[in-house]
Amino acid sequence: MNIRRWSVGVLAASLLVPGLAACKSDTAESAAPGGSASAAAPADPKEALLASTREIGKGNFTFTVVGHQSTGKGLVHKPSNSAQFTMTFDDGTGDVSMDVDFIYIEKESWVKLDLGGKMFEALGADKNKGKYQHLDQSKIEGAKGLQLNAETLDPSDSAALIKGVTEVRRTGEGSFAGTIDITGATESAALDEEVVEALAAQAKALPFTAKVDAQGRLTEIAIAVPAAGEAEAHEVKITYADYGSATAAQKPPASKVVEASEQTYEMFK
């Protein structure tokens, strides 16, 4: 079973490996809540969408992700060098389900994996159920699925998604619609790489909609994905909120912390 196919590894790469503090930062330039992210939104709709992702790069926001068989939400808070992401996955057959909670604070990180379904139950994989596993950073560095994508503070990498927009028009105040090529953004946590591969040429022209707030900041992007391979038709939706006002992630209670097992590291390789 390839956990990376569920995009867990990509999300963890953004949230668990020390990197928030190392990325380019200019907190003084961060827009205050309700403040203006730019002097004027570009007239060209694609340029306006590209500009809408700039505030995400400042690393102070909350987000939600709904993808194929998974839902998630989280926060990134560069002022405290912390982030958190929770995700629920269910394959719809009863064989595999997973609730994941990642926490990153400074140079420490934890993951809580509550695994269910017939497959995990057969493997006896629930011994750490309800516990946060403290991660050894040297072992994370050796796990391919947990390597840091230093190019973005956004696990969903909406900037990369929007670069793939092939046609877009304004449909109202702060609203856009068009087509998008998702083949260049398979590292986005919102996409299932196997589904993108199964879509083949279709993946180059999928319908999408997007919304921005009064300051021109991205608040939502939704992509209609047709049935492909073993995946039924579904919608990928990413939302953003609380620009400049996210709260810091909190360290898990010591009573609920254990050291990560070797099986956990292997799971993400």
Side-chain angles (χ1 to χ4, degrees), residues 218-244:
L218 186 67
T219 58
E220 178 185 302
I221 181 168
I223 303 170
V225 181
E230 298 180 359
E232 67 277 9
H234 61 281
E235 181 181 65
V236 169
K237 180 183 284 188
I238 308 161
T239 67
Y240 297 92
D242 302 314
Y243 285 110

PDB file of all heavy atoms in Angstrom, residues 218-244:
ATOM      1  N   LEU A 218      -6.834  34.433  -2.578  1.00  0.00           N
ATOM      2  CA  LEU A 218      -7.551  33.211  -2.915  1.00  0.00           C
ATOM      3  C   LEU A 218      -8.302  32.676  -1.699  1.00  0.00           C
ATOM      4  O   LEU A 218      -7.726  32.502  -0.623  1.00  0.00           O
ATOM      5  CB  LEU A 218      -6.568  32.155  -3.414  1.00  0.00           C
ATOM      6  CG  LEU A 218      -7.181  30.851  -3.941  1.00  0.00           C
ATOM      7  CD1 LEU A 218      -7.971  31.108  -5.233  1.00  0.00           C
ATOM      8  CD2 LEU A 218      -6.080  29.814  -4.202  1.00  0.00           C
ATOM      9  N   THR A 219      -9.583  32.401  -1.875  1.00  0.00           N
ATOM     10  CA  THR A 219     -10.371  31.780  -0.809  1.00  0.00           C
ATOM     11  C   THR A 219     -10.863  30.393  -1.184  1.00  0.00           C
ATOM     12  O   THR A 219     -11.175  29.587  -0.302  1.00  0.00           O
ATOM     13  CB  THR A 219     -11.592  32.643  -0.432  1.00  0.00           C
ATOM     14  OG1 THR A 219     -12.409  32.843  -1.596  1.00  0.00           O
ATOM     15  CG2 THR A 219     -11.147  33.985   0.121  1.00  0.00           C
ATOM     16  N   GLU A 220     -10.935  30.104  -2.498  1.00  0.00           N
ATOM     17  CA  GLU A 220     -11.414  28.782  -2.901  1.00  0.00           C
ATOM     18  C   GLU A 220     -11.006  28.473  -4.333  1.00  0.00           C
ATOM     19  O   GLU A 220     -11.024  29.345  -5.194  1.00  0.00           O
ATOM     20  CB  GLU A 220     -12.937  28.730  -2.806  1.00  0.00           C
ATOM     21  CG  GLU A 220     -13.576  27.419  -3.243  1.00  0.00           C
ATOM     22  CD  GLU A 220     -15.095  27.481  -3.231  1.00  0.00           C
ATOM     23  OE1 GLU A 220     -15.663  27.757  -2.152  1.00  0.00           O
ATOM     24  OE2 GLU A 220     -15.697  27.281  -4.303  1.00  0.00           O
ATOM     25  N   ILE A 221     -10.616  27.237  -4.570  1.00  0.00           N
ATOM     26  CA  ILE A 221     -10.451  26.717  -5.923  1.00  0.00           C
ATOM     27  C   ILE A 221     -11.048  25.318  -5.942  1.00  0.00           C
ATOM     28  O   ILE A 221     -10.780  24.513  -5.035  1.00  0.00           O
ATOM     29  CB  ILE A 221      -8.983  26.723  -6.395  1.00  0.00           C
ATOM     30  CG1 ILE A 221      -8.891  26.193  -7.838  1.00  0.00           C
ATOM     31  CG2 ILE A 221      -8.071  25.971  -5.456  1.00  0.00           C
ATOM     32  CD1 ILE A 221      -7.544  26.414  -8.503  1.00  0.00           C
ATOM     33  N   ALA A 222     -11.883  25.043  -6.920  1.00  0.00           N
ATOM     34  CA  ALA A 222     -12.560  23.750  -7.031  1.00  0.00           C
ATOM     35  C   ALA A 222     -12.378  23.213  -8.445  1.00  0.00           C
ATOM     36  O   ALA A 222     -12.551  23.951  -9.418  1.00  0.00           O
ATOM     37  CB  ALA A 222     -14.036  23.884  -6.702  1.00  0.00           C
ATOM     38  N   ILE A 223     -12.004  21.944  -8.551  1.00  0.00           N
ATOM     39  CA  ILE A 223     -11.737  21.311  -9.845  1.00  0.00           C
ATOM     40  C   ILE A 223     -12.639  20.095  -9.991  1.00  0.00           C
ATOM     41  O   ILE A 223     -12.690  19.231  -9.104  1.00  0.00           O
ATOM     42  CB  ILE A 223     -10.262  20.882  -9.952  1.00  0.00           C
ATOM     43  CG1 ILE A 223      -9.339  22.090  -9.738  1.00  0.00           C
ATOM     44  CG2 ILE A 223      -9.979  20.231 -11.308  1.00  0.00           C
ATOM     45  CD1 ILE A 223      -7.873  21.713  -9.578  1.00  0.00           C
ATOM     46  N   ALA A 224     -13.353  20.011 -11.108  1.00  0.00           N
ATOM     47  CA  ALA A 224     -14.218  18.865 -11.392  1.00  0.00           C
ATOM     48  C   ALA A 224     -13.387  17.780 -12.067  1.00  0.00           C
ATOM     49  O   ALA A 224     -12.842  17.984 -13.150  1.00  0.00           O
ATOM     50  CB  ALA A 224     -15.372  19.291 -12.293  1.00  0.00           C
ATOM     51  N   VAL A 225     -13.288  16.631 -11.416  1.00  0.00           N
ATOM     52  CA  VAL A 225     -12.464  15.529 -11.917  1.00  0.00           C
ATOM     53  C   VAL A 225     -13.383  14.392 -12.379  1.00  0.00           C
ATOM     54  O   VAL A 225     -14.153  13.861 -11.587  1.00  0.00           O
ATOM     55  CB  VAL A 225     -11.501  15.009 -10.836  1.00  0.00           C
ATOM     56  CG1 VAL A 225     -10.628  13.881 -11.381  1.00  0.00           C
ATOM     57  CG2 VAL A 225     -10.635  16.143 -10.295  1.00  0.00           C
ATOM     58  N   PRO A 226     -13.315  14.009 -13.646  1.00  0.00           N
ATOM     59  CA  PRO A 226     -14.176  12.922 -14.138  1.00  0.00           C
ATOM     60  C   PRO A 226     -13.688  11.561 -13.649  1.00  0.00           C
ATOM     61  O   PRO A 226     -12.570  11.430 -13.135  1.00  0.00           O
ATOM     62  CB  PRO A 226     -14.036  13.044 -15.654  1.00  0.00           C
ATOM     63  CG  PRO A 226     -12.686  13.647 -15.863  1.00  0.00           C
ATOM     64  CD  PRO A 226     -12.477  14.589 -14.715  1.00  0.00           C
ATOM     65  N   ALA A 227     -14.511  10.557 -13.803  1.00  0.00           N
ATOM     66  CA  ALA A 227     -14.127   9.195 -13.431  1.00  0.00           C
ATOM     67  C   ALA A 227     -12.908   8.764 -14.244  1.00  0.00           C
ATOM     68  O   ALA A 227     -12.812   9.053 -15.445  1.00  0.00           O
ATOM     69  CB  ALA A 227     -15.282   8.242 -13.667  1.00  0.00           C
ATOM     70  N   ALA A 228     -11.982   8.098 -13.583  1.00  0.00           N
ATOM     71  CA  ALA A 228     -10.768   7.629 -14.258  1.00  0.00           C
ATOM     72  C   ALA A 228     -10.174   6.481 -13.464  1.00  0.00           C
ATOM     73  O   ALA A 228     -10.094   6.536 -12.237  1.00  0.00           O
ATOM     74  CB  ALA A 228      -9.743   8.755 -14.397  1.00  0.00           C
ATOM     75  N   GLY A 229      -9.771   5.409 -14.160  1.00  0.00           N
ATOM     76  CA  GLY A 229      -9.215   4.261 -13.474  1.00  0.00           C
ATOM     77  C   GLY A 229     -10.231   3.695 -12.502  1.00  0.00           C
ATOM     78  O   GLY A 229     -11.379   3.436 -12.867  1.00  0.00           O
ATOM     79  N   GLU A 230      -9.832   3.535 -11.236  1.00  0.00           N
ATOM     80  CA  GLU A 230     -10.734   3.010 -10.219  1.00  0.00           C
ATOM     81  C   GLU A 230     -11.469   4.118  -9.475  1.00  0.00           C
ATOM     82  O   GLU A 230     -12.288   3.835  -8.594  1.00  0.00           O
ATOM     83  CB  GLU A 230      -9.952   2.145  -9.231  1.00  0.00           C
ATOM     84  CG  GLU A 230      -9.301   0.915  -9.864  1.00  0.00           C
ATOM     85  CD  GLU A 230      -8.541   0.088  -8.850  1.00  0.00           C
ATOM     86  OE1 GLU A 230      -8.508   0.494  -7.664  1.00  0.00           O
ATOM     87  OE2 GLU A 230      -7.991  -0.958  -9.227  1.00  0.00           O
ATOM     88  N   ALA A 231     -11.187   5.364  -9.802  1.00  0.00           N
ATOM     89  CA  ALA A 231     -11.783   6.490  -9.084  1.00  0.00           C
ATOM     90  C   ALA A 231     -13.048   6.988  -9.775  1.00  0.00           C
ATOM     91  O   ALA A 231     -13.073   7.164 -10.993  1.00  0.00           O
ATOM     92  CB  ALA A 231     -10.772   7.632  -8.988  1.00  0.00           C
ATOM     93  N   GLU A 232     -14.085   7.201  -8.997  1.00  0.00           N
ATOM     94  CA  GLU A 232     -15.308   7.762  -9.529  1.00  0.00           C
ATOM     95  C   GLU A 232     -15.128   9.268  -9.731  1.00  0.00           C
ATOM     96  O   GLU A 232     -14.167   9.862  -9.246  1.00  0.00           O
ATOM     97  CB  GLU A 232     -16.477   7.505  -8.575  1.00  0.00           C
ATOM     98  CG  GLU A 232     -16.396   8.217  -7.250  1.00  0.00           C
ATOM     99  CD  GLU A 232     -15.541   7.529  -6.208  1.00  0.00           C
ATOM    100  OE1 GLU A 232     -14.837   6.546  -6.556  1.00  0.00           O
ATOM    101  OE2 GLU A 232     -15.573   7.968  -5.040  1.00  0.00           O
ATOM    102  N   ALA A 233     -16.051   9.887 -10.454  1.00  0.00           N
ATOM    103  CA  ALA A 233     -16.015  11.331 -10.638  1.00  0.00           C
ATOM    104  C   ALA A 233     -16.111  12.013  -9.266  1.00  0.00           C
ATOM    105  O   ALA A 233     -16.857  11.574  -8.386  1.00  0.00           O
ATOM    106  CB  ALA A 233     -17.152  11.780 -11.542  1.00  0.00           C
ATOM    107  N   HIS A 234     -15.345  13.076  -9.074  1.00  0.00           N
ATOM    108  CA  HIS A 234     -15.355  13.765  -7.789  1.00  0.00           C
ATOM    109  C   HIS A 234     -14.884  15.207  -7.980  1.00  0.00           C
ATOM    110  O   HIS A 234     -14.420  15.585  -9.053  1.00  0.00           O
ATOM    111  CB  HIS A 234     -14.450  13.052  -6.779  1.00  0.00           C
ATOM    112  CG  HIS A 234     -13.004  12.984  -7.198  1.00  0.00           C
ATOM    113  ND1 HIS A 234     -12.544  12.073  -8.117  1.00  0.00           N
ATOM    114  CD2 HIS A 234     -11.922  13.719  -6.828  1.00  0.00           C
ATOM    115  CE1 HIS A 234     -11.234  12.235  -8.291  1.00  0.00           C
ATOM    116  NE2 HIS A 234     -10.846  13.228  -7.528  1.00  0.00           N
ATOM    117  N   GLU A 235     -14.994  15.979  -6.932  1.00  0.00           N
ATOM    118  CA  GLU A 235     -14.522  17.357  -6.942  1.00  0.00           C
ATOM    119  C   GLU A 235     -13.356  17.510  -5.977  1.00  0.00           C
ATOM    120  O   GLU A 235     -13.388  17.002  -4.860  1.00  0.00           O
ATOM    121  CB  GLU A 235     -15.642  18.319  -6.526  1.00  0.00           C
ATOM    122  CG  GLU A 235     -15.217  19.784  -6.532  1.00  0.00           C
ATOM    123  CD  GLU A 235     -16.335  20.718  -6.088  1.00  0.00           C
ATOM    124  OE1 GLU A 235     -16.740  20.623  -4.897  1.00  0.00           O
ATOM    125  OE2 GLU A 235     -16.801  21.522  -6.911  1.00  0.00           O
ATOM    126  N   VAL A 236     -12.325  18.182  -6.425  1.00  0.00           N
ATOM    127  CA  VAL A 236     -11.216  18.573  -5.563  1.00  0.00           C
ATOM    128  C   VAL A 236     -11.451  20.031  -5.183  1.00  0.00           C
ATOM    129  O   VAL A 236     -11.606  20.890  -6.062  1.00  0.00           O
ATOM    130  CB  VAL A 236      -9.864  18.429  -6.291  1.00  0.00           C
ATOM    131  CG1 VAL A 236      -8.751  19.099  -5.489  1.00  0.00           C
ATOM    132  CG2 VAL A 236      -9.542  16.966  -6.534  1.00  0.00           C
ATOM    133  N   LYS A 237     -11.548  20.300  -3.898  1.00  0.00           N
ATOM    134  CA  LYS A 237     -11.791  21.676  -3.453  1.00  0.00           C
ATOM    135  C   LYS A 237     -10.811  22.068  -2.356  1.00  0.00           C
ATOM    136  O   LYS A 237     -10.612  21.325  -1.386  1.00  0.00           O
ATOM    137  CB  LYS A 237     -13.216  21.857  -2.940  1.00  0.00           C
ATOM    138  CG  LYS A 237     -13.524  23.283  -2.467  1.00  0.00           C
ATOM    139  CD  LYS A 237     -14.913  23.427  -1.893  1.00  0.00           C
ATOM    140  CE  LYS A 237     -15.973  23.461  -2.970  1.00  0.00           C
ATOM    141  NZ  LYS A 237     -17.314  23.798  -2.412  1.00  0.00           N
ATOM    142  N   ILE A 238     -10.212  23.237  -2.502  1.00  0.00           N
ATOM    143  CA  ILE A 238      -9.283  23.789  -1.522  1.00  0.00           C
ATOM    144  C   ILE A 238      -9.820  25.148  -1.097  1.00  0.00           C
ATOM    145  O   ILE A 238     -10.223  25.950  -1.951  1.00  0.00           O
ATOM    146  CB  ILE A 238      -7.878  23.975  -2.118  1.00  0.00           C
ATOM    147  CG1 ILE A 238      -7.386  22.682  -2.770  1.00  0.00           C
ATOM    148  CG2 ILE A 238      -6.891  24.444  -1.059  1.00  0.00           C
ATOM    149  CD1 ILE A 238      -6.249  22.893  -3.750  1.00  0.00           C
ATOM    150  N   THR A 239      -9.857  25.420   0.196  1.00  0.00           N
ATOM    151  CA  THR A 239     -10.278  26.732   0.676  1.00  0.00           C
ATOM    152  C   THR A 239      -9.218  27.314   1.601  1.00  0.00           C
ATOM    153  O   THR A 239      -8.464  26.565   2.250  1.00  0.00           O
ATOM    154  CB  THR A 239     -11.622  26.678   1.424  1.00  0.00           C
ATOM    155  OG1 THR A 239     -11.459  25.940   2.645  1.00  0.00           O
ATOM    156  CG2 THR A 239     -12.701  26.028   0.571  1.00  0.00           C
ATOM    157  N   TYR A 240      -9.171  28.638   1.661  1.00  0.00           N
ATOM    158  CA  TYR A 240      -8.228  29.353   2.523  1.00  0.00           C
ATOM    159  C   TYR A 240      -8.987  30.409   3.320  1.00  0.00           C
ATOM    160  O   TYR A 240      -9.948  31.010   2.829  1.00  0.00           O
ATOM    161  CB  TYR A 240      -7.148  30.043   1.696  1.00  0.00           C
ATOM    162  CG  TYR A 240      -6.275  29.090   0.918  1.00  0.00           C
ATOM    163  CD1 TYR A 240      -6.593  28.743  -0.393  1.00  0.00           C
ATOM    164  CD2 TYR A 240      -5.141  28.520   1.482  1.00  0.00           C
ATOM    165  CE1 TYR A 240      -5.814  27.854  -1.111  1.00  0.00           C
ATOM    166  CE2 TYR A 240      -4.346  27.632   0.765  1.00  0.00           C
ATOM    167  CZ  TYR A 240      -4.693  27.301  -0.523  1.00  0.00           C
ATOM    168  OH  TYR A 240      -3.918  26.421  -1.231  1.00  0.00           O
ATOM    169  N   ALA A 241      -8.518  30.650   4.548  1.00  0.00           N
ATOM    170  CA  ALA A 241      -9.140  31.659   5.402  1.00  0.00           C
ATOM    171  C   ALA A 241      -8.119  32.148   6.427  1.00  0.00           C
ATOM    172  O   ALA A 241      -6.989  31.646   6.493  1.00  0.00           O
ATOM    173  CB  ALA A 241     -10.372  31.088   6.109  1.00  0.00           C
ATOM    174  N   ASP A 242      -8.521  33.128   7.218  1.00  0.00           N
ATOM    175  CA  ASP A 242      -7.726  33.624   8.354  1.00  0.00           C
ATOM    176  C   ASP A 242      -6.341  34.110   7.939  1.00  0.00           C
ATOM    177  O   ASP A 242      -5.356  33.910   8.657  1.00  0.00           O
ATOM    178  CB  ASP A 242      -7.600  32.550   9.440  1.00  0.00           C
ATOM    179  CG  ASP A 242      -8.951  32.079   9.947  1.00  0.00           C
ATOM    180  OD1 ASP A 242      -9.804  32.941  10.214  1.00  0.00           O
ATOM    181  OD2 ASP A 242      -9.160  30.856  10.057  1.00  0.00           O
ATOM    182  N   TYR A 243      -6.254  34.761   6.786  1.00  0.00           N
ATOM    183  CA  TYR A 243      -4.966  35.318   6.369  1.00  0.00           C
ATOM    184  C   TYR A 243      -4.452  36.299   7.415  1.00  0.00           C
ATOM    185  O   TYR A 243      -5.143  37.225   7.819  1.00  0.00           O
ATOM    186  CB  TYR A 243      -5.115  36.036   5.033  1.00  0.00           C
ATOM    187  CG  TYR A 243      -5.233  35.128   3.835  1.00  0.00           C
ATOM    188  CD1 TYR A 243      -6.437  35.007   3.144  1.00  0.00           C
ATOM    189  CD2 TYR A 243      -4.132  34.407   3.377  1.00  0.00           C
ATOM    190  CE1 TYR A 243      -6.547  34.189   2.027  1.00  0.00           C
ATOM    191  CE2 TYR A 243      -4.229  33.581   2.265  1.00  0.00           C
ATOM    192  CZ  TYR A 243      -5.437  33.480   1.591  1.00  0.00           C
ATOM    193  OH  TYR A 243      -5.541  32.669   0.484  1.00  0.00           O
ATOM    194  N   GLY A 244      -3.228  36.078   7.858  1.00  0.00           N
ATOM    195  CA  GLY A 244      -2.612  36.971   8.829  1.00  0.00           C
ATOM    196  C   GLY A 244      -3.097  36.799  10.247  1.00  0.00           C
ATOM    197  O   GLY A 244      -2.627  37.488  11.148  1.00  0.00           O
TER     198      GLY A 244
END
